[in-house]
Amino acid sequence: MTTNKIVEYEENATKFQFVKDKHIGDLTLNKITTNIKVNPQSIYIEKQSRYLGWIKMASTVQTLPIGNIVGVKVRKVLNPSDWVFGSVMIVLGFGSPLFWIVAAFFFWMSVSNKIIITTNLQTKIKIPVDSTRDAQAFVAELNGIPTTKGEKLYV
């Protein structure tokens, strides 16, 4: 089960948790949990991946000053590996049309949502999310924080 939620609200800080998983039936292929803490000075991002539901990968931690953020947006993105597998299934479908159904499945699985944070160094931090509504709540939270110049973030 996937959850995206505002975990809790502290004084001058809001915590978010985004969980994005990819699974076939009950088999979880990949689960990415991102914990974010937003305060008026900085954003703390911790991202943890698990493959097959139990193989834990190294977590990545980033702290980003609010003044370095120039843009935040929510976008639908396509997973390139799913497109490669889908394309291979289309080619195999010329031999057996059943593979076209598998190709359609791969193309359908390739669409997902991400929060993209752009910094002043043109670095992009991508946060995978399941719910566009919760991602918009995160973006609204960031948009409510004025930058060091007193202006709002470009969202």
Side-chain angles (χ1 to χ4, degrees), residues 19-37:
V19 179
K20 170 71 176 163
D21 62 350
K22 185 180 244 187
H23 52 85
I24 298 174
D26 288 338
L27 176 65
T28 301
L29 301 176
N30 186 11
K31 182 175 183 178
I32 302 170
T33 304
T34 308
N35 294 308
I36 302 172
K37 183 176 179 181

Side-chain angles (χ1 to χ4, degrees), residues 34-136:
T34 308
N35 294 308
I36 302 172
K37 183 176 179 181
V38 179
N39 63 41
Q41 294 81 27
S42 63
I43 299 174
Y44 173 81
I45 303 169
E46 179 183 13
K47 197 183 296 185
Q48 176 71 53
S49 293
R50 288 179 184 257
Y51 292 99
L52 299 176
W54 56 276
I55 301 172
K56 192 183 249 188
M57 304 305 287
S59 65
T60 59
V61 176
Q62 294 176 300
T63 302
L64 182 65
I66 292 291
N68 290 359
I69 298 173
V70 294
V72 182
K73 56 189 169 185
V74 179
R75 293 285 184 252
K76 286 204 179 289
V77 294
L78 302 174
N79 185 342
S81 64
D82 286 338
W83 274 85
V84 168
F85 287 127
S87 300
V88 168
M89 294 300 139
I90 284 178
V91 171
L92 292 174
F94 290 112
S96 173
L98 184 60
F99 284 107
W100 286 334
I101 296 170
V102 177
F105 174 74
F106 275 114
F107 290 133
W108 176 68
M109 291 275 297
S110 72
V111 178
S112 64
N113 294 308
K114 286 191 179 182
I115 299 170
I116 301 172
I117 302 172
T118 307
T119 67
N120 57 355
L121 301 173
Q122 297 306 313
T123 306
K124 292 187 178 185
I125 299 169
K126 297 178 182 177
I127 303 167
V129 296
D130 270 343
S131 169
T132 305
R133 182 182 53 211
D134 293 334
Q136 294 290 353

